[in-house]
Amino acid sequence: MSTITTTTSSSSLIFEEQRQELVLSGVWLPRDRAAAAAEGELIRSAAASVSGQLYLNCKRLLRMNSPAFRTLLEALSWVREHKPDLLVKVVITSVIPWAERRFRLIPRLSEKFSVEMYDKDFYPGQDAVEDASFIPVLQTQGKIIWEQERHLLARHGLAPRMKVADICCGIGGFAMQVARHLEPLEVVGVDHAQSSLNYARHLSREFCLPGLEFIYGDAANLLLDDHRFDFVACRLALQIFDQPQHILRELVRICRPGGRVYLLNETFSRCFGYPNAEAIAWTYQEASGLFGALSMDLEFGPKMRCYMVEAGLEDIRVEPLLLTSCNTRGEDFAAVIRSWEDYVVDQLARKAGKDEAYCRRLREGFAAHVRAVTHDKGFGGWPIWAASGCKPG
């Protein structure tokens, strides 16, 4: 591995020889092209040493100025002239708003050069979850979860006057509750769904909540500093990603040593109710399978401990957060179930090509669950799991 670090611009350029990958990160702001000569030389030498394809990974490049970009273009022009058969793929992120506009010049240099926005479709269920139609689901879920969750957060390390991150924050309900009740030093919410972020920003302004920031980002490559937060939460989110270990790694990275990473995930297929238990069970098992077809694992709750151990966390605490018609207002619970029904049937089942008979049976199961949680003699529940672990050091 070859490496160069520029101290004047807080950027680094690393050549990973085994992966044929140049990793450019940080803030690259040389005062002129001469100040960026070392980076240009490394790009040329890396290209000269490989064949087939060279990757230029700019996923963590926060800023770059014109001298830096001209240096990059000159180095790639050299590659075009001296390594005409080398394929060069530049990987950028949609988190950086200027990246697509600036880097689209690169494919014009050569048909061998391409630019890929890696997080445009960065997990299989992205289109479904990031649709604005998902906001009502998040609203209704958040309302009933918080009333039970708030009582266990202290056991998982959340306390007043902390720096808190809420990763995959959705519409920002958890972050706003923390800001409202715990006087945090800082709360940062991160999400990749612009519709949810816009909603969260609107509410935070409307509620005049200080010290609260919502930013656009990719949970698997957070543009947040190492060891920054005392408490890092990621709620009902790892279960929707096909590679949750990558996100957990980032959660650990931004947590300070001695701080805690807090997760919330469910076992959706185990939602239950009585009467009509069989119809309810069938519906949730099928619904879980529909989510699974999008590589979402809504049975992730019991798996959290294993992932947290593998991520290097210590003092891991896991406990059930069982929402039932006895500890939650029945009509609120019913509203959550109806939002699931609309989403599962109208979005997932129909997109999966399921016929009307199948969709009707799904609706019958959801309707039975609504009756179970609202009827005097009925009973229903939704099993969720809370877990946290301490970052060593």
Side-chain angles (χ1 to χ4, degrees):
M1 181 180 75
S2 301
T3 179
I4 180 172
T5 301
T6 58
T7 57
T8 56
S9 59
S10 300
S11 67
S12 69
L13 179 62
I14 299 172
F15 178 44
E16 300 279 0
E17 189 173 16
Q18 289 186 334
R19 299 201 300 264
Q20 298 194 179
E21 180 182 46
L22 282 159
V23 182
L24 180 58
S25 60
V27 179
W28 190 17
L29 304 173
R31 62 184 178 274
D32 51 36
R33 276 182 285 177
E39 287 89 345
E41 177 57 32
L42 182 56
I43 295 170
R44 289 189 289 271
S45 64
S49 68
V50 301
S51 59
Q53 182 154 287
L54 176 69
Y55 293 91
L56 178 58
N57 182 345
C58 298
K59 293 188 288 186
R60 287 188 175 276
L61 180 62
L62 302 178
R63 292 175 61 196
M64 72 185 309
N65 60 10
S66 293
F69 192 64
R70 287 199 300 271
T71 297
L72 176 60
L73 292 180
E74 288 174 358
L76 291 175
S77 296
W78 182 94
V79 174
R80 178 190 61 196
E81 296 299 322
H82 294 84
K83 298 277 292 191
D85 295 327
L86 185 66
L87 299 174
V88 178
K89 177 177 284 189
V90 182
V91 184
I92 61 174
T93 171
S94 63
V95 174
I96 305 300
W98 51 262
E100 184 175 17
R101 182 178 67 253
R102 172 162 276 174
F103 281 91
R104 67 187 177 190
L105 297 174
I106 290 175
R108 300 177 187 175
L109 293 175
S110 169
E111 62 181 11
K112 300 290 186 179
F113 299 166
S114 63
V115 176
E116 176 183 286
M117 186 177 294
Y118 90 102
D119 57 349
K120 184 177 181 181
D121 297 300
F122 78 110
Y123 62 93
Q126 179 179 358
D127 287 343
V129 174
E130 295 189 2
D131 191 282
S133 64
F134 202 67
I135 288 178
V137 179
L138 300 176
Q139 288 174 314
T140 50
Q141 286 185 172
K143 181 178 180 181
I144 67 170
I145 292 173
W146 174 255
E147 288 305 314
Q148 303 304 316
E149 183 185 21
R150 62 189 302 179
H151 303 298
L152 59 81
L153 287 169
R155 294 198 294 274
H156 291 272
L158 184 59
R161 309 298 295 169
M162 281 186 165
K163 293 183 177 181
V164 178
D166 184 13
I167 308 304
C168 304
C169 65
I171 60 174
F174 180 79
M176 283 185 267
Q177 294 287 13
V178 171
R180 184 178 287 116
H181 296 291
L182 290 167
E183 298 180 349
L185 298 176
E186 176 186 24
V187 182
V188 175
V190 180
D191 204 274
H192 200 270
Q194 286 287 11
S195 57
S196 294
L197 282 176
N198 291 337
Y199 187 85
R201 289 166 182 153
H202 168 75
L203 285 187
S204 64
R205 287 194 301 267
E206 191 173 89
F207 297 157
C208 299
L209 295 172
L212 181 56
E213 181 183 12
F214 291 105
I215 60 177
Y216 179 66
D218 167 16
N221 282 279
L222 295 167
L223 301 179
L224 296 170
D225 293 339
D226 296 356
H227 319 309
R228 175 173 170 180
F229 298 97
D230 305 297
F231 188 89
V232 179
C234 188
R235 303 162 63 259
L236 298 179
L238 291 188
Q239 61 190 37
I240 70 171
F241 293 93
D242 59 333
Q243 298 185 65
Q245 67 275 15
H246 297 324
I247 297 173
L248 187 54
R249 178 189 61 208
E250 285 290 271
L251 303 181
V252 175
R253 180 183 65 79
I254 67 172
C255 184
R256 69 164 177 82
R260 295 192 72 83
V261 173
Y262 171 77
L263 308 178
L264 203 68
N265 289 284
E266 56 191 309
T267 43
F268 195 66
S269 70
R270 300 298 180 180
C271 287
F272 61 88
Y274 179 86
N276 298 314
E278 292 80 6
I280 295 169
W282 180 88
T283 288
Y284 282 98
Q285 288 162 10
E286 290 297 312
S288 183
L290 290 171
F291 281 105
L294 295 175
S295 298
M296 302 186 201
D297 183 5
L298 268 64
E299 313 306 307
F300 192 76
K303 305 173 186 178
M304 291 187 292
R305 181 179 175 83
C306 175
Y307 278 83
M308 296 175 96
V309 170
E310 291 179 350
L313 294 171
E314 300 176 345
D315 184 26
I316 296 170
R317 305 166 189 173
V318 182
E319 61 180 301
L321 177 67
L322 180 61
L323 300 180
T324 74
S325 49
C326 287
N327 63 16
T328 300
R329 185 172 174 268
E331 282 304 320
D332 290 339
F333 201 163
V336 171
I337 297 168
R338 292 188 185 103
S339 71
W340 290 341
E341 176 186 349
D342 292 341
Y343 186 70
V344 169
V345 178
D346 296 336
Q347 298 288 328
L348 300 185
R350 298 196 188 284
K351 286 183 178 179
K354 300 297 185 180
D355 60 25
E356 286 301 320
Y358 180 92
C359 292
R360 184 167 56 251
R361 189 176 176 188
L362 280 178
R363 289 195 185 279
E364 289 170 356
F366 285 120
H369 202 201
V370 167
R371 291 192 295 273
V373 301
T374 55
H375 196 278
D376 295 359
K377 298 179 182 178
F379 181 70
W382 173 24
I384 305 175
W385 299 87
S388 68
C390 179
K391 181 174 179 176

